[in-house]
């Protein structure tokens, strides 16, 4: 028997989180300074590794990616000013510290969003991001759709039907994101964990309390919170190849009073979860200012572990969730 392939996938706009694995965040710190002429000569011994350069000034980053199951296309761009917090440090935990303010935008066939983001990296292994963005959905690809109850069907098939009935509409809203990124490296192994706390507030049909969130592909409460985590474990080679695995889980917070009598359905639709292999290629990164720097490509092929429509209900569990793209950064 051939596995089900599910309904025709429709374009889903989205944000690629965790792209930093293949294009690490632009770390800001002054480059190591050359010794003054009268300074004593450095002691002889084993050569020290050059400290990672962190730019003081304007920087940018671009990431373009596509995904399948669900289908999506997205271009993310940020540009802003950053400066180092501590400068060159012998202690590796104090290197790469910076603070920056950036304008960010994400463009997809279904929506555009943009705003301001504050980046703070107080330690080499810890980064905080805080952003507020406005979002405008075009009303294309059967979006946006809102619902009164969590028991309503929001799968691909039903959303196509609702779109034909005129139940998809353009709208606007705001998104606040607080992001915590932990990263650690031991030998050739790199571990990165990216956790986002997301609050959204859209203009939806009066009386509706939930909507289908495009970036995460799940039902969410309007004027409510979601949390996402993507954790990657990679083996990093000296010639740029990275290979490992990614695990992701997305959860939406549903107030008890809004799901009373529908608790079983609420547990079915959240969280959603996936896991699978991850590979990438990081081209050589120039350790200094450069207009075009550190290009990289990546591919993640995962399978849904939990999803109300993609583990055999509308799409067979054997159909993978695929994300691939290209990213680069630079200084201005």
């Amino acid at each position: 028997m051939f596995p089900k392939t599910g309904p025709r996938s429709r374009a889903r706009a989205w944000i690629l989180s965790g792209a930093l694995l293949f294009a690490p965040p632009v770390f800001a710190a002054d480059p190591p300074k050359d010794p003054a002429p009268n300074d004593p000569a450095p002691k002889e011994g084993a050569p020290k590794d050059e400290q990672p350069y962190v730019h003081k000034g304007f920087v940018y980053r671009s990431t373009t990616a596509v995904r399948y199951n669900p289908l999506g296309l997205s271009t993310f761009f940020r540009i802003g000013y950053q400066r180092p917090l501590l400068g060159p440090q012998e202690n590796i935990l104090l290197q790469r510290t910076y603070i920056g303010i950036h304008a960010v935008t994400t463009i997809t066939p279904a929506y555009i969003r943009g705003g301001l983001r504050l980046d703070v990296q107080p330690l080499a292994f810890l980064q905080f991001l805080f952003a507020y963005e406005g979002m405008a959905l075009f009303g294309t690809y059967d979006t946006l759709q809102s619902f009164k109850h969590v028991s309503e069907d929001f799968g691909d098939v039903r959303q196509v039907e609702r779109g034909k009935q005129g139940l998809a509409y353009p709208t606007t809203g705001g998104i606040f994101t607080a992001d915590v990124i932990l990263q650690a490296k031991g030998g050739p192994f790199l571990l990165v964990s990216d956790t986002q706390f997301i609050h959204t507030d859209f203009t939806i049909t009066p009386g509706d309390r939930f909507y289908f969130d495009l970036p995460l592909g799940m039902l969410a409460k309007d004027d409510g919170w979601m949390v996402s985590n993507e954790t990657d474990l990679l083996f990093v080679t000296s010639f740029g190849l990275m290979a490992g695995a990614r695990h992701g889980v997305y959860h939406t917070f549903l107030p008890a009073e809004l799901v009373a009598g529908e608790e079983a359905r609420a547990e079915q639709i959240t969280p959603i979860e996936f896991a699978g292999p991850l590979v990438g290629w990081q081209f050589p990164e120039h350790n200094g200012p450069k207009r075009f720097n550190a290009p990289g490509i990546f591919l993640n092929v995962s399978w849904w572990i939990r999803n109300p429509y993609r583990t055999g209900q509308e799409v067979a569990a054997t159909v993978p969730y695929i994300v691939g793209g290209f990213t680069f950064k630079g200084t201005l």
Side-chain angles (χ1 to χ4, degrees), residues 267-310:
E267 292 180 0
Q268 180 189 35
I269 65 175
T270 187
I272 59 176
E273 182 181 6
F274 63 90
L278 180 68
V279 295
W281 183 277
Q282 174 71 66
F283 293 90
E285 178 175 359
H286 178 69
N287 195 37
K290 191 175 183 181
R291 188 63 57 87
F292 178 80
N293 199 9
I297 56 176
F298 55 89
L299 177 66
N300 174 218
V301 180
S302 292
W303 283 267
W304 290 103
I305 300 170
R306 290 191 58 177
N307 190 299
Y309 295 100
R310 302 186 186 280

Side-chain angles (χ1 to χ4, degrees), residues 10-318:
R10 298 175 298 111
R12 299 286 192 198
W14 63 292
I15 296 176
L16 178 71
S17 53
L20 63 98
L21 291 179
F22 306 107
V26 180
F27 300 117
D30 291 327
K33 299 179 180 178
D34 294 329
N38 296 327
D39 286 350
K43 295 181 180 180
E44 294 183 0
K48 294 182 179 180
D49 292 337
E50 184 181 9
Q51 290 196 16
Y53 174 76
V54 193
H55 187 65
K56 180 181 179 180
F58 288 95
V59 297
Y60 77 93
R61 178 184 300 281
S62 176
T63 301
T64 298
V66 295
R67 73 176 181 183
Y68 172 74
N69 189 30
L71 190 65
L73 171 66
S74 175
T75 294
F76 168 81
F77 185 79
R78 86 168 192 236
I79 184 171
Y81 181 85
Q82 65 180 31
R83 61 176 301 143
L85 288 176
L86 299 176
Q89 298 286 324
E90 292 299 323
N91 188 335
I92 192 172
L93 297 181
L94 300 179
Q95 296 176 8
R96 299 182 170 184
T97 61
Y98 76 97
I99 186 169
I101 184 73
H102 300 91
V104 297
T105 185
T106 302
I107 302 173
T108 81
Y111 70 73
I112 184 171
R113 60 187 278 182
L116 291 177
R117 191 178 85 183
L118 174 67
D119 296 27
V120 182
Q121 181 147 319
L123 296 168
F125 64 87
L126 178 63
Q127 186 177 14
F128 299 102
L129 313 176
F130 303 94
Y132 185 81
E133 302 167 83
M135 182 172 178
L137 293 110
F138 308 141
T140 56
Y141 304 102
D142 304 318
T143 65
L144 179 128
Q145 296 195 22
S146 55
F147 306 86
K148 288 184 171 60
H149 306 284
V150 296
S151 58
E152 295 185 65
D153 186 353
F154 58 89
D156 283 359
V157 173
R158 181 56 181 151
Q159 286 201 44
V160 170
E161 295 173 349
R162 286 170 55 93
K164 293 178 179 179
Q165 296 169 9
L167 297 177
Y169 53 92
T171 191
T172 58
I175 304 171
F176 170 77
T177 305
D179 194 348
V180 181
I181 301 172
L182 298 172
Q183 39 197 345
K185 192 173 187 297
F189 293 98
L190 174 66
L191 177 67
V192 180
S193 181
D194 184 347
T195 302
Q196 295 187 350
F197 299 91
I198 307 160
H199 183 273
T200 61
D201 189 6
F202 290 96
T203 301
I204 64 175
T205 301
D208 288 354
R209 296 174 290 186
F210 309 95
Y211 72 96
F212 185 80
D213 185 78
L214 290 173
L216 296 186
M218 63 189 302
L219 196 72
K221 180 188 177 299
D222 188 46
D223 194 12
W225 286 90
M226 296 175 285
V227 62
S228 72
N229 175 267
E230 292 185 357
T231 298
D232 305 321
L233 178 62
L234 292 171
F235 182 88
V236 183
T237 68
S238 59
F239 52 88
L241 177 65
M242 307 182 214
R246 165 170 290 182
H247 173 265
V249 59
Y250 307 149
H251 177 73
T252 183
F253 295 98
L254 302 173
E257 63 273 15
L258 295 186
V259 297
E262 299 177 326
E263 290 84 0
R265 173 62 171 171
E267 292 180 0
Q268 180 189 35
I269 65 175
T270 187
I272 59 176
E273 182 181 6
F274 63 90
L278 180 68
V279 295
W281 183 277
Q282 174 71 66
F283 293 90
E285 178 175 359
H286 178 69
N287 195 37
K290 191 175 183 181
R291 188 63 57 87
F292 178 80
N293 199 9
I297 56 176
F298 55 89
L299 177 66
N300 174 218
V301 180
S302 292
W303 283 267
W304 290 103
I305 300 170
R306 290 191 58 177
N307 190 299
Y309 295 100
R310 302 186 186 280
T311 55
Q313 302 85 347
E314 288 189 357
V315 181
T318 54

